Amino acid sequence: MTSIDLNADLGEGSAHEETVMAVVSSANIACGGHAGDAGTMRDSLRLAARFGVAAGAHPGFPDREGFGRRELHFPPDEVRAFVREQIEALKAVAAREGVPLRHVKPHGMLYNMAVRDETLARAVAQAAADSGVPLYFGLAGGGSVMLREARAAGLREIGEGFADRGYAPDGSLWPRGQAGALLPFDAATAQGVRIARDGVTTAVTGEPVAVPARTLCLHGDGAEAAELARTLRAALEAAGLRVAAP
């Protein structure tokens, strides 16, 4: 049976966190950059342990006001430092809770910029490698340099697709704020299954897009997050896919 990981961005203050955590197989936990503190990290890690979910770090730009979704620019050594600092903060809490960290997945604009910016992608991957966390989630397919830099840093790269985000023809994510960036419930469910089963989806502009994903993301902070998580997992299993962390 083909398997697919189902991950969600959590630890960001969503009211749906426990319900979403009960359904996914991996959790990307905010660790103090765009959101999160020692208390929310502890709570998320405890939920992950309770539900048998693989816990990972979700570092972002140090930009709480913009929730890490604004384009910012830092020298590579500063990026490496603040990403490492965030991962280490989560590692410290995880060690106290007895929960291993399995992966790193950058957040928001840090992720989107690292898709194309080789220098930024290298700094983030090196910070992840410095932390000793073995797996790295990055955009699957397209012109992404994220996974290449992760591999060069000695990490095990895991290609990621998005159930609830629209795609551009080059395989990048359609920009937030533009029509088609966030998919409605039924379309997100259908896209998630298609990516997981066939490794392909359709761009917002109509072209086919290859998405060779081994993990599938849904966002944990939307109004329909809990229902989408349950529905998507059921649809994946109905399509003959086993949902499991890498």
Side-chain angles (χ1 to χ4, degrees):
M1 179 182 291
T2 301
S3 66
I4 186 74
D5 181 40
L6 183 59
N7 79 73
D9 302 338
L10 296 168
E12 299 174 334
S14 169
H16 311 289
E17 174 140 339
E18 183 171 349
T19 306
V20 173
M21 191 78 81
V23 177
V24 297
S25 46
S26 292
N28 319 308
I29 299 173
C31 39
H34 68 288
D37 55 30
T40 60
M41 288 185 252
R42 179 201 62 215
D43 292 346
S44 295
L45 288 162
R46 288 179 177 177
L47 284 175
R50 189 206 309 176
F51 292 112
V53 172
H58 196 40
F61 280 131
D63 176 30
R64 288 175 176 267
E65 183 181 352
F67 197 64
R69 288 176 175 162
R70 297 187 293 189
E71 184 169 326
L72 301 175
H73 298 274
F74 296 88
D77 58 340
E78 290 187 24
V79 173
R80 187 170 181 173
F82 71 66
V83 171
R84 173 72 183 274
E85 181 180 6
Q86 291 177 44
I87 298 170
E88 291 297 331
L90 183 62
K91 275 183 69 179
V93 180
R96 291 195 294 270
E97 295 297 320
V99 178
L101 290 189
R102 298 279 301 279
H103 66 273
V104 173
K105 175 191 167 180
H107 165 80
M109 188 56 72
L110 179 63
Y111 185 111
N112 290 335
M113 290 172 65
V115 169
R116 292 191 174 89
D117 185 328
E118 183 176 10
T119 301
L120 180 63
R122 182 176 302 122
V124 177
Q126 289 172 338
D130 291 344
S131 75
V133 179
L135 306 183
Y136 187 91
F137 291 6
L139 188 70
S144 171
V145 299
M146 297 180 76
L147 299 186
R148 186 184 72 205
E149 292 300 328
R151 187 165 54 249
L155 298 161
R156 180 181 164 202
E157 75 277 12
I158 305 293
E160 181 177 37
F162 288 79
D164 52 5
R165 290 292 311 275
Y167 277 83
D170 66 356
S172 63
L173 299 179
W174 198 248
R176 282 182 178 269
Q178 295 189 20
L182 298 174
L183 302 189
F185 187 95
D186 290 343
T189 302
Q191 175 164 280
V193 171
R194 190 178 179 205
I195 289 174
R197 183 187 60 206
D198 304 327
V200 68
T201 191
T202 301
V204 171
T205 48
E207 298 89 344
V209 180
V211 187
R214 295 173 57 201
T215 187
L216 191 65
C217 178
L218 60 88
H219 288 88
D221 58 347
E224 295 181 324
E227 186 178 356
L228 176 58
R230 286 192 296 263
T231 301
L232 179 55
R233 176 152 188 161
L236 291 168
E237 291 174 341
L241 296 157
R242 181 173 67 94
V243 177

